[in-house]
Amino acid sequence: MPKVLLVEDDAVVRGALVRSLTQADHVVRAVGTALDALREVTADRPDLVILDLGLPDLDGADALRMLRGLCEVPVIVATARDDEAEIVKLLNAGADDYLTKPFSGEHLAARMSAVLRRAHPDGARQSAIEVGPLRVDLARREATLDGITLELSRREFDLLAYLAARPHRVVSRRELVEAVWRQPYIGGDQTIDVHLSWLRRKLGESAANPRFLHTVRGVGVKLVVPR
Ligand code: CA
């Protein structure tokens, strides 16, 4: 059972989340301040941290940085503000995912299992990812759309596989450069844009009429199940 540390100062929200996480078979510890969270992480490392950004003692970004300084535990941040600049800053500061309040226990549980899967790829190695009519076979490095094989370059495949493994999550450009290109991010996103546009063409879509690949201005790109 995954051990979860919930950092939330609002007692009502905290109580509700503890109940729903416990029902979903997680072992939950809950604290109300960033300093208590740092203490807990040092004492007994959790598998996942859910970090509310509006805490009474420390700014959320500072709390995240300090957590990151202690260990590589996956962190989902919960923010009340749907603020792109803030979200970019947090993803760049090492958050694994984010949720905008208010969110349901079910939504949180889905994000958590995705983050945990990524954090422990050996525990649940997936050989194929399916996103609607799109299927990405990681072992054979083959992608199909409606059963038809897509002719993808190595980089296009890697890009598609990376996004497909994180459906509905906005992946920042920095993360793509670092994870898919395996290069340090120095800004300048033309390489990503070019590959995305090739990939879009092969998926039969365009930036103006997206199906799977949606650009979130100023943040990054996400792959979704098309309607
Ligand atoms: Ca709060």
Side-chain angles (χ1 to χ4, degrees), residues 41-217:
V41 166
T42 315
D44 182 12
R45 199 189 135 165
D47 296 305
L48 179 80
V49 175
I50 300 158
L51 178 66
D52 171 40
L53 292 181
L55 292 172
D57 55 341
L58 276 182
D59 172 67
D62 290 337
L64 178 61
R65 242 187 307 281
M66 290 172 80
L67 261 177
R68 273 280 161 271
L70 289 175
C71 67
E72 277 299 308
V73 61
V75 178
I76 298 178
V77 293
T79 169
R81 288 182 297 164
D82 197 358
D83 177 341
E84 283 188 359
E86 179 70 16
I87 291 165
V88 172
K89 191 170 99 181
L90 292 164
L91 291 173
N92 286 337
D96 293 82
D97 203 349
Y98 70 92
L99 279 170
T100 309
K101 291 182 174 182
F103 51 82
S104 66
E106 288 80 9
H107 192 170
L108 175 62
R111 296 297 186 98
M112 284 174 55
S113 38
V115 166
L116 286 168
R117 246 191 339 262
R118 292 202 293 277
H120 306 283
D122 297 333
R125 177 165 287 155
Q126 278 181 296
S127 61
I129 303 163
E130 288 190 22
V131 182
L134 178 69
R135 186 169 197 278
V136 182
D137 189 324
L138 300 174
R140 297 170 60 193
R141 293 189 58 84
E142 186 184 85
T144 57
L145 178 58
D146 293 318
I148 297 162
T149 302
L150 301 171
E151 298 293 334
L152 301 178
S153 71
R154 186 174 63 86
R155 196 75 87 189
E156 287 160 7
F157 179 88
D158 288 343
L159 181 58
L160 181 64
Y162 193 83
L163 293 170
R166 296 155 182 79
H168 298 278
R169 173 158 87 86
V170 183
V171 178
S172 73
R173 289 165 176 276
R174 172 185 293 270
E175 181 175 343
L176 285 178
V177 168
E178 290 174 353
V180 178
W181 273 264
R182 299 188 183 279
Q183 287 170 7
Y185 183 73
I186 50 163
D189 300 327
Q190 283 182 349
T191 310
I192 294 180
D193 289 334
V194 168
H195 280 82
L196 278 174
S197 98
W198 287 336
L199 195 51
R200 281 197 169 106
R201 201 176 309 156
K202 292 177 180 179
L203 290 168
E205 63 179 65
S206 66
N209 288 300
R211 277 185 79 213
F212 291 97
L213 295 172
H214 292 252
T215 299
V216 180
R217 255 180 103 83

